[in-house]
Amino acid sequence: MAATAPAPARPAGRSRTAGLRGAVAAEWTKLVSLRSTWYLLLGAAVLTGVIASAAGVLTHDPGASPAGPAVVAELNGTGLVVAALAMLAVTGEYATGSATTAFLCVPDRVRLLAAKSLTLGAVTFAAGLLCGVVGLVCGLVTLEESTFDTATVCGQVLGVGVHAALLSVLTVGLAAVVRRSAGTVTALFGLLFLLPMALDVLPGAETAVDLLPAGASEALLLDGNGSYGWQAGLALMALWALASLTVAARVLRRRDV
Amino acid sequence: MLTLRGLTKKYGAKTAVDDLSLEVVPGRITGFLGPNGAGKSTTMRMIMGLDRPTRGTALVGGKPYAELTHPLRVVGALLDARAAHPRRTAHAHLLAMARSNGIPARRVPEVLDAVGLGEVAGSRAGSFSLGMAQRLGIAAALLGDPEVLLLDEPVNGLDPDGVLWVRSFLRSLAAEGRTVFLSSHLMSEMELTADRLVVIGRGRLLADGPVADVVAAGTRRTVRVRGPEHGGIALLADRLTAQGAEVTRPAPDELSVSGVPLERVGDLAHEARVHLYELRAVQASLEEAYMRLTSQSVEYAQRRTDETAGV
């Protein structure tokens, strides 16, 4: 039957990357073709400006970094607005029935999840950097006194970008499991705010609290949270994002669309 | 080419699709017929890799859908008319789909023109009427110029114009040698559109074959006899009954005969010197065949339940 044998298939690795490239391009197209994406990014920038300006006005410290207000904004709102973009990219598809289309185009569940994570990770990283710069400008304008150290400022702005991206990827995984916006918001608030508060009242749980995403975020953005430095914070946030994606991949593979 | 082997889907104790095996061949329109809730959509979703079969396999061109790198180039599907994000334009919706499968962007205006949506390419999918949404769904299915097309109730909610358009469009696609698999719960639609029929009821395969065969299998052939002499008709009825035919007499001058071929009825009438005005085979409709097929499946399922309860 040599005559009818199909042409040799391309190496699995290559075809997988070929599929992933297309899937990423599709996610990008989907993201930029929705007006809500641009509204959310504008909202994140405006919110950053407001929070950073308030933080700048309220800070009276000659050693303050002008990018400090940007970090405060990221921890207190910007990060969540940017993560909302990641959430809607997933839950918006389930809510409108277009999730079926997404899975028909990219039937490999892991590839689809990877494409969403890569695209949203990149977009939210850029959005975070932009918000970091907005916060920096607001800090420079509103701080009555500050010390501009290039390395510190660059690190802080970069930190805002990285944090926004990792929080968003964590949210992608969570949203893929929960599927609905309301449920995802609840789960995210539980993980970021309620769980640390609940654990805080337990004796001896301080270490556990520090290891949660909120503690890791603080360490990453504020150069340490009392227990460990920004490097460990970065690694922990990356681990949380990876854990979220791993759970999502398992659930998506087992579950019917 | 679609190949289903022992495809089964269970939701808890309920079996939606039960050991379904069939082949859908190229160059023809295969109708997938069954009452609402018979398992048509579940079967299609399993073929398209959306739902996981409890048992069995569904292959598209020899491979499971999920293993295709660029599935849209192999099989196009219309499963749900509202499969586009309502706040995305028709063009953007199709462009994202095209990019995901490495399909050149120029295909997007091509398929939009093919389904008559070229003028509204820049409008949001949410502003479309059901008929326009169905057309957008068909455009999406055609995007990758696939060999296999799978459409779940494509004429649902269309006006007569749209129904006619879909019908002739599918005909032309099958004529190009493509495999067209089309579900419907409307047998009249199937009679006009399909070449082959697959009938399911309660998730089970009831019939699979050319439309004429399915009709023949589902109904008994009857012969209608009419003549001016009531006595002669009565005599013929007696002779036919003696030959083992089943005879009913809806009117004094009319007989409905089943169980013997038309030629035999003619011979008997000739031998008995009965004067006839009409002797013809009655064409059973697909609708009758379908009702018969599906009612049997309902009875069968009922009996099975009783048996299980009795054990």
Side-chain angles (χ1 to χ4, degrees), chain A residues 9-10 15-16 18-19 21-23 25-26 28-31 33-36 92-93 96-101 103-109 111 253-257, chain B residues 9 11 45 48-53 63 65-72 77 79-80 82-89 92-93 95-102 124:
Chain A
R10 279 180 300 170
S15 80
R16 177 155 285 184
R21 197 176 307 137
W28 169 256
T29 306
K30 287 195 274 188
L31 206 56
S33 62
L34 281 183
R35 223 178 266 173
S36 57
E93 291 199 331
T96 59
S98 57
T100 305
T101 304
F103 284 106
L104 286 181
C105 292
V106 185
D108 186 323
R109 312 284 164 95
R111 188 191 299 160
R253 283 171 94 153
R254 280 149 192 258
R255 192 170 62 192
D256 290 343
V257 173
Chain B
K9 180 71 179 180
Y11 295 105
R45 289 177 63 83
M48 301 306 291
L50 295 171
D51 291 358
R52 288 162 59 96
K63 270 184 161 184
Y65 186 84
E67 285 177 18
L68 302 168
T69 305
H70 292 306
L72 299 186
L79 294 181
D80 183 354
R82 300 291 182 192
H85 196 298
R87 288 182 297 282
R88 202 171 275 133
T89 65
H93 168 65
L95 184 63
M97 291 184 76
R99 290 210 168 136
S100 71
N101 275 249
R124 284 153 195 254

Side-chain angles (χ1 to χ4, degrees), chain B residues 30-310:
Chain B
T30 301
F32 192 30
L33 195 58
N36 287 328
K40 301 188 296 293
S41 295
T42 306
T43 302
M44 289 193 153
R45 289 177 63 83
M46 285 193 282
I47 295 171
M48 301 306 291
L50 295 171
D51 291 358
R52 288 162 59 96
T54 309
R55 270 197 308 279
T57 51
L59 304 178
V60 185
K63 270 184 161 184
Y65 186 84
E67 285 177 18
L68 302 168
T69 305
H70 292 306
L72 299 186
R73 297 191 197 169
V74 181
V75 46
L78 166 71
L79 294 181
D80 183 354
R82 300 291 182 192
H85 196 298
R87 288 182 297 282
R88 202 171 275 133
T89 65
H91 183 271
H93 168 65
L94 294 179
L95 184 63
M97 291 184 76
R99 290 210 168 136
S100 71
N101 275 249
I103 298 163
R106 66 179 152 75
R107 274 295 286 168
V108 173
E110 275 175 27
V111 293
L112 281 170
D113 285 337
V115 301
L117 289 179
E119 305 263 300
V120 290
S123 304
R124 284 153 195 254
S127 70
F128 285 6
S129 67
L130 182 57
M132 289 163 85
Q134 290 276 31
R135 281 170 189 256
L136 180 58
I138 291 173
L142 294 173
L143 197 59
D145 196 19
E147 280 305 303
V148 183
L149 279 152
L150 193 135
L151 306 114
D152 197 5
E153 308 264 2
V155 300
N156 239 9
L158 293 188
D159 53 21
D161 242 20
V163 173
L164 205 63
W165 176 81
V166 169
R167 201 183 290 151
S168 57
F169 202 70
L170 293 180
R171 281 248 153 266
S172 66
L173 291 170
E176 291 168 14
R178 294 177 213 259
T179 309
V180 181
F181 192 45
L182 167 79
S183 86
S184 179
H185 63 276
L186 302 170
M187 43 246 140
S188 51
E189 182 52 39
M190 283 299 180
E191 209 162 13
L192 289 164
T193 314
D195 306 305
R196 286 179 65 87
L197 277 185
V198 172
V199 184
I200 65 167
R202 299 207 165 192
R204 273 161 196 278
L205 185 67
L206 299 178
D208 177 11
V211 175
D213 290 9
V214 171
V215 172
T219 53
R220 285 174 303 173
R221 285 167 202 276
T222 58
V223 178
R224 201 171 108 104
V225 183
R226 194 165 58 86
E229 302 153 9
H230 294 181
I233 291 292
L235 176 66
L236 182 60
D238 290 343
R239 293 275 175 97
L240 283 164
T241 311
Q243 294 277 323
E246 213 174 284
V247 183
T248 57
R249 198 171 173 187
D253 63 343
E254 201 181 314
L255 296 178
S256 177
V257 185
S258 59
V260 290
L262 177 111
E263 293 79 3
R264 188 80 195 109
V265 179
D267 290 347
L268 282 170
H270 179 70
E271 284 163 22
R273 305 189 69 76
V274 177
H275 196 168
L276 294 188
Y277 281 171
E278 184 181 353
L279 173 64
R280 76 182 162 95
V282 178
Q283 191 81 50
S285 73
L286 175 58
E287 185 150 6
E288 279 174 69
Y290 171 74
M291 295 310 263
R292 217 181 148 87
L293 279 168
T294 50
S295 73
Q296 280 164 353
S297 94
V298 171
E299 280 167 15
Y300 181 57
Q302 189 59 50
R303 200 160 61 236
R304 263 176 62 99
T305 318
D306 292 348
E307 275 169 15
T308 322

Side-chain angles (χ1 to χ4, degrees), chain A residues 25-178:
Chain A
E27 289 303 326
W28 169 256
T29 306
K30 287 195 274 188
L31 206 56
V32 297
S33 62
L34 281 183
R35 223 178 266 173
S36 57
T37 301
W38 304 105
Y39 289 150
L40 264 174
L41 291 178
L42 185 68
V46 169
L47 186 72
T48 306
V50 171
I51 299 177
S53 299
V57 169
L58 295 172
T59 305
H60 304 283
D61 172 12
S65 165
V71 165
V72 174
E74 171 66 17
L75 271 175
N76 293 288
T78 307
L80 287 174
V81 176
V82 173
L85 182 67
M87 177 188 81
L88 285 176
V90 178
T91 57
E93 291 199 331
Y94 281 108
T96 59
S98 57
T100 305
T101 304
F103 284 106
L104 286 181
C105 292
V106 185
D108 186 323
R109 312 284 164 95
V110 176
R111 188 191 299 160
L112 183 64
L113 188 67
K116 277 199 187 296
S117 306
L118 284 172
T119 310
L120 285 155
V123 168
T124 53
F125 175 67
L129 280 186
L130 196 75
C131 288
V133 171
V134 168
L136 170 65
V137 170
C138 292
L140 285 169
V141 170
T142 54
L143 282 169
E144 56 179 9
E145 44 190 350
S146 64
T147 307
F148 195 103
D149 173 57
T150 310
T152 308
V153 167
C154 286
Q156 284 175 318
V157 171
L158 196 64
V160 170
V162 169
H163 179 258
L166 289 176
L167 187 63
S168 296
V169 172
L170 191 160
T171 307
V172 167
L174 205 58
V177 172
V178 179

